[in-house]
Amino acid sequence: MKGIILAGGRGTRLYPITLCVSKQLLPVHDKPMIYYPLSVLMLAGISDILIISTPQDLGAFRALLGDGGRLGLKLTYAIQQEPRGIADAFLVGAEHIGSDDVALVLGDNIFHGPGFGEVLDQSVADLDGCVLFGYRVPDPERYGVAEADDRDRILSLEEKPARPRSNIAVTGLYLYDNDVVEVARSIRPSPRGELEITDVNKVYVEQDRAGLVDLGRGFTWLDTGTHNSLTDASHYMQLMEQRQGIRVACIEEVALRMGFIDADACYRLGEELASSGYGRYVMDISSSVPLLRAAN
């Protein structure tokens, strides 16, 4: 399975702080925002990942992450000239996807919960069409909402409905079979001129090939697209570090746990950042972390 991180857009809800920097490069506590979606794809066992961003921001992502080789990854980059909708990622990334299935994650979404690696593993193994990840919210009218049956097959999808049929919001993490490229090519832009991911997902719903993973209690999903939500996410990550001693989405640790790199390589990566608490953490875990799926 290939991976795509969509890290484009103008970040207008975060103005003025995004006037000269990509939203996905802003810090969430101790690391750039893009580390969080990148760690999700890594936990799913995906090492071949395309990062899509704007012409002005792509160079900064390259400077931060390079070709991914130091993490045991293959990272490539592509430009989305203008915000043309989430589904446009499949057209921009069609060559990258090739004949494989694909996982798409939005660059401003954060996921954290126990056994998340196992959840992703099972979802990839069970993929038959598409798998969406749902999260129960008190205000579903603000989101795309999924209604599912007792087999976790999606019955309906509605975008910001006035009368939601459930309280399950569709998050910014999606798994698709290879048909998604042609599905994305077949849909038409919405009235706002974008290729909507909901329209792609509805095609799979009509084919009875759309599954739902309800992340449930114990999981946290954060969308960092506003000033308040960005601050909340930073506070949450700071609290996790202070209370539990873990650093969520430490990509060096995830790479080690997943077997993408060995302990020596992990230690060297930490050494380069040794003047920070983050770097010292990487050095410490390099000799103590077993190769297993992390709840990270």
Side-chain angles (χ1 to χ4, degrees):
M1 178 174 278
K2 300 289 182 60
I4 295 178
I5 301 174
L6 184 56
R10 300 188 181 94
T12 54
R13 291 184 298 166
L14 285 168
Y15 278 178
I17 57 177
T18 50
L19 285 172
C20 61
V21 64
S22 168
K23 170 175 62 177
Q24 290 84 9
L25 291 170
L26 295 176
V28 177
H29 184 40
D30 61 349
K31 61 187 72 70
M33 187 187 298
I34 197 171
Y35 276 33
Y36 295 90
L38 177 58
S39 72
V40 169
L41 296 181
M42 293 168 68
L43 281 172
I46 299 170
S47 58
D48 192 346
I49 298 167
L50 176 70
I51 297 172
I52 299 175
S53 191
T54 64
Q56 60 268 30
D57 294 320
L58 209 61
F61 287 109
R62 287 184 188 273
L64 175 67
L65 298 168
D67 65 3
R70 286 150 50 91
L71 293 167
L73 306 176
K74 177 184 178 183
L75 300 181
T76 51
Y77 301 85
I79 289 174
Q80 187 183 50
Q81 293 287 351
E82 296 289 337
R84 293 192 296 263
I86 295 172
D88 184 55
F90 303 117
L91 306 187
V92 174
E95 183 176 345
H96 167 72
I97 296 168
S99 60
D100 292 309
D101 298 337
V102 62
L104 170 67
V105 61
L106 303 187
D108 61 359
N109 274 223
I110 293 175
F111 299 85
H112 176 243
F116 194 29
E118 286 81 1
V119 171
L120 293 169
D121 255 354
Q122 193 62 52
S123 300
V124 170
D126 293 344
L127 180 63
D128 175 23
C130 81
V131 173
L132 309 183
F133 292 79
Y135 190 81
R136 296 180 184 272
V137 296
D139 49 355
E141 63 279 357
R142 295 180 52 228
Y143 302 92
V145 174
E147 177 191 19
D149 62 18
D150 56 7
R151 299 179 301 130
D152 294 322
R153 306 301 288 182
I154 298 176
L155 301 174
S156 69
L157 291 168
E158 297 178 285
E159 192 66 32
K160 298 180 180 178
R163 294 190 177 90
R165 297 180 183 180
S166 81
N167 66 341
I168 301 176
V170 177
T171 69
L173 174 62
Y174 319 86
L175 306 181
Y176 297 96
D177 66 12
N178 191 255
D179 293 343
V180 72
V181 176
E182 290 307 315
V183 172
R185 286 179 175 141
S186 72
I187 65 173
R188 296 291 176 262
S190 66
R192 62 177 183 163
E194 297 190 359
L195 296 178
E196 306 291 350
I197 196 67
T198 299
D199 290 340
V200 168
N201 295 334
K202 283 181 176 179
V203 172
Y204 283 96
V205 172
E206 291 166 1
Q207 297 173 352
D208 192 28
R209 295 200 303 136
L212 178 74
V213 173
D214 185 346
L215 292 176
R217 295 179 64 181
F219 274 85
T220 298
W221 169 55
L222 301 167
D223 176 351
T224 54
T226 68
H227 297 102
N228 286 341
S229 61
L230 180 61
T231 301
D232 289 345
S234 290
H235 286 164
Y236 176 83
M237 296 306 164
Q238 182 183 37
L239 187 64
M240 291 298 298
E241 179 187 344
Q242 290 176 343
R243 297 289 178 86
Q244 298 188 22
I246 64 173
R247 293 180 184 258
V248 178
C250 173
I251 54 177
E252 296 85 358
E253 179 180 7
V254 177
L256 176 60
R257 287 183 181 272
M258 296 299 299
F260 294 158
I261 60 174
D262 61 23
D264 289 341
C266 184
Y267 186 88
R268 289 193 297 271
L269 291 173
E271 261 190 322
E272 295 177 9
L273 308 171
S275 59
S276 70
Y278 181 94
R280 292 190 292 274
Y281 174 84
V282 173
M283 294 166 67
D284 288 342
I285 58 94
S286 67
S287 59
S288 60
V289 172
L291 299 182
L292 49 79
R293 295 281 178 171
N296 203 28

